[in-house]
Amino acid sequence: MPWHLRMLLYIFPFLLAGYFYIGWRFSQGLQYLLQLPGRSTGIAIAVLVILLNLLPIVILVSYLTGQLSPHYLNGSRVGWPDYFLFFPFWLGLIILVELLPYFITLDIAGLVVKWTGFMGKHNWQKWKAIFQVALVAFFVIYVGIRAYHDTYRVKTTSYDITLKESANPIMDLKIVLVGDVQVDRYTQSQKLDRFIEAYRKSGADLLLFSGDLVTSGPKFISRGVQLFCGLQAPAGKIAVLGDHDYWADPQRISEGLQHCGWLFMKNEHHIISYKGHKILITGLTNIYSKRLQRQQLGEILKHAPAADLKILLVHQPSEYVASMAEKFGYRLMLAGHTHGGQLVFHPFGMPFTTSQLETKYYSGLFRLKNISVAVTNGIGLTLAPLRYGAPAEISRLVINPKQERN
C-alpha cells in the first residue's frame, strides 16, 4: 500500500474520535437553538461525517477485499475521486482540527461556570450553543476560501538580506529560491502557469532549486523537466536533490535538468562570478534516504573555497546543518522540503503545523547571528491535495539592496 494511503489509515481513528466529539456538541447546540429533534439531528450529522470520510473507508474496504486500485486513488488527472473523496476528507480534517481547541475551551468554561455559579445554567447553555454553531459556520466558510486561495495562487515573498561588514559588498543580487514544485495531477496547467508568471516578474539574477520536481514515480518527470528547461537566469541555475526526486528517478531528473543548462549539485562547491565578486554555492544532498552525518558535512564545508559570499543550498532545512554552515562562514542557507507546513492551523491565533516537529525552520526567513536561513513554502503538494495557511510561493532574496546605502 502506498505510504500516503497508509498515513490516512493511521490518522483515521483519531479523526473519528474528533468527529464524534464535535458532532455531539454541535448537535446539542443545534437542538437547543432551533428546537430540532435529537434523533434526526444526530442522524444527519452522522451521515455528513461518513460522507467526509469516504476516502479512508474506501481505502480500508478496498485493501481488505484485495481490490486496492491505484487507478482511482492515484490517477493522472483530477477527477471524481478527488471531488468526492480526497477534497472533502481534507477539508473536513482542517475544519475539525480548527474547531477542536475552541469546543474544548467551551466545555472547560462550562465547568468553571457550573462551579462558580457565575452565569445561570439556562443563559450559559444558550450562549454556548450560539458559540458552537457560529464557530462551525465560520470555519466552514473560512477554511474553504482560505484553502482555495493558498492552494491555487502562487505568490512571491521578498526578503532583503543586508551584509554590511564588507568594504566592497555585493549589491542588489536577486536570488530566487524555488522548491517542492512536485508536478503531479494536482500541480499542472494553470498552477504551473502562475508559477512561471511569478518567476518571470521576479527579475532573478540567480535561480536556485531546493529539490522535489515531482511527487512520485516517473509519470510527470518529463513535464517537470520541460517546465524547468524554460526558466532562465543570467548568473546561473543550480539544483539539488529532493526526497521525492530520489524516490521517483534521481538520475533521470538530474540528467534532464543538466541537459538544458542546470547545474545539479551533489555535495559539492561551485563559484559564480557576479559583478567582480565571487559567490560560492555549496549544494548538498540531505534527504531522508541519504542523511548527511555531522562528520561528513563538516568535511564538505571545511573544504569550501574562499568567496565574497557563501551560500548553502539544501533540500531539508535541518537545524544542525544551519549551525555548521554558520560555523564555516556561510551567510545564507536556502532550503525547502517543509511546504511551509502545507496545513498550518492557528488555534487562538498561534500557528501550528506538524513540520514544526521536524525543524523550527519550517517557513520564511530566520536571522541567526551570522547566517540567514530562508525556507520557501514551495509550489506543490504532498499527502494532502490542499494548502491551508501556507500559500504556494517562490522566495526572492535581494542581497544588499541599493536603497540600504541611503
Side-chain angles (χ1 to χ4, degrees):
M1 180 182 293
W3 72 272
H4 62 288
L5 301 184
R6 290 200 307 271
M7 288 298 297
L8 293 179
L9 295 183
Y10 290 155
I11 64 176
F12 186 42
F14 301 99
L15 286 180
L16 284 182
Y19 273 118
F20 175 81
Y21 169 66
I22 295 294
W24 169 44
R25 288 308 197 194
F26 180 56
S27 175
Q28 288 182 327
L30 284 177
Q31 292 172 43
Y32 187 88
L33 290 178
L34 304 179
Q35 300 299 307
L36 297 174
R39 181 178 177 82
S40 299
T41 305
I43 292 174
I45 292 176
V47 170
L48 177 60
V49 170
I50 292 172
L51 292 175
L52 290 174
N53 287 277
L54 283 177
L55 176 60
I57 293 172
V58 167
I59 293 171
L60 185 60
V61 171
S62 299
Y63 178 69
L64 293 176
T65 58
Q67 300 297 318
L68 188 63
S69 171
H71 175 69
Y72 67 85
L73 292 176
N74 194 23
S76 299
R77 297 180 180 180
V78 175
W80 70 264
D82 299 291
Y83 296 116
F84 288 97
L85 301 176
F86 285 88
F87 290 132
F89 172 80
W90 286 103
L91 286 170
L93 181 149
I94 295 169
I95 293 168
L96 175 67
V97 174
E98 289 284 34
L99 285 172
L100 275 171
Y102 298 100
F103 271 58
I104 292 172
T105 300
L106 284 174
D107 278 346
I108 294 173
L111 292 176
V112 174
V113 168
K114 181 179 179 180
W115 290 338
T116 62
F118 172 74
M119 185 184 297
K121 180 179 179 180
H122 177 73
N123 284 336
W124 169 247
Q125 287 180 330
K126 175 184 176 182
W127 282 108
K128 181 180 178 181
I130 290 173
F131 280 131
Q132 288 170 335
V133 174
L135 282 168
V136 172
F138 170 77
F139 278 113
V140 166
I141 296 171
Y142 176 76
V143 167
I145 294 173
R146 182 67 186 267
Y148 182 87
H149 179 271
D150 290 348
T151 302
Y152 295 104
R153 186 182 72 130
V154 179
K155 70 171 187 173
T156 301
T157 303
S158 295
Y159 305 104
D160 289 344
I161 308 295
T162 305
L163 309 175
K164 297 180 178 179
E165 69 277 7
S166 174
N168 183 26
I170 300 170
M171 300 301 302
D172 216 31
L173 170 64
K174 299 177 184 66
I175 301 172
V176 169
L177 171 65
V178 176
D180 306 283
V181 175
Q182 300 206 217
V183 182
D184 58 17
R185 75 177 186 270
Y186 299 114
T187 307
Q188 294 189 65
S189 304
Q190 293 183 357
K191 179 80 172 284
L192 295 180
D193 290 342
R194 293 188 182 106
F195 158 59
I196 293 171
E197 181 182 3
Y199 178 72
R200 287 175 177 169
K201 290 180 179 178
S202 69
D205 298 309
L206 177 62
L207 173 58
L208 302 179
F209 177 49
S210 60
D212 277 358
L213 183 65
V214 296
T215 299
S216 63
K219 188 184 305 181
F220 296 98
I221 290 178
S222 295
R223 178 71 179 96
V225 169
Q226 180 185 25
L227 173 76
F228 268 50
C229 284
L231 303 177
Q232 302 300 326
K237 305 180 294 184
I238 300 176
V240 294
L241 192 70
D243 291 292
H244 291 264
D245 299 328
Y246 183 84
W247 297 328
D249 190 335
Q251 183 174 352
R252 184 177 167 190
I253 289 172
S254 61
E255 289 179 353
L257 294 182
Q258 288 170 337
H259 183 71
C260 62
W262 281 81
L263 177 63
F264 203 95
M265 303 187 70
K266 304 171 184 177
N267 299 332
E268 53 193 316
H269 309 286
H270 179 70
I271 292 287
I272 293 173
S273 295
Y274 178 80
K275 296 182 179 180
H277 296 277
K278 287 184 177 181
I279 301 171
L280 170 69
I281 309 294
T282 298
L284 299 179
T285 300
N286 185 47
I287 57 178
Y288 291 129
S289 302
K290 285 184 173 291
R291 180 75 72 189
L292 274 174
Q293 301 302 313
R294 290 179 182 270
Q295 183 178 357
Q296 181 187 9
L297 176 60
E299 286 296 314
I300 295 170
L301 299 183
K302 80 177 183 179
H303 289 104
D308 300 305
L309 173 62
K310 299 169 77 172
I311 300 173
L312 188 70
L313 177 63
V314 65
H315 180 63
Q316 294 191 6
S318 305
E319 294 171 29
Y320 77 95
V321 175
S323 177
M324 291 196 70
E326 183 177 31
K327 174 183 175 182
F328 284 97
Y330 286 80
R331 304 305 307 276
L332 276 178
M333 173 173 145
L334 307 179
H337 175 62
T338 62
H339 294 218
Q342 188 166 325
L343 303 181
V344 182
F345 307 100
H346 293 83
F348 303 104
M350 297 178 292
F352 171 76
T353 172
T354 54
S355 294
Q356 291 172 309
L357 304 177
E358 183 176 1
T359 175
K360 64 183 178 183
Y361 307 132
Y362 74 94
S363 178
L365 183 68
F366 302 83
R367 301 180 190 271
L368 284 65
K369 183 177 180 181
N370 293 311
I371 190 173
S372 294
V373 178
V375 181
T376 186
N377 287 359
I379 306 298
L381 309 158
T382 185
L383 187 60
L386 298 167
R387 284 179 171 269
Y388 176 72
E393 70 172 9
I394 62 173
S395 299
R396 180 177 181 267
L397 299 95
V398 183
I399 308 300
N400 293 322
K402 291 177 179 178
Q403 61 267 27
E404 287 290 329
R405 293 182 292 182
N406 298 328

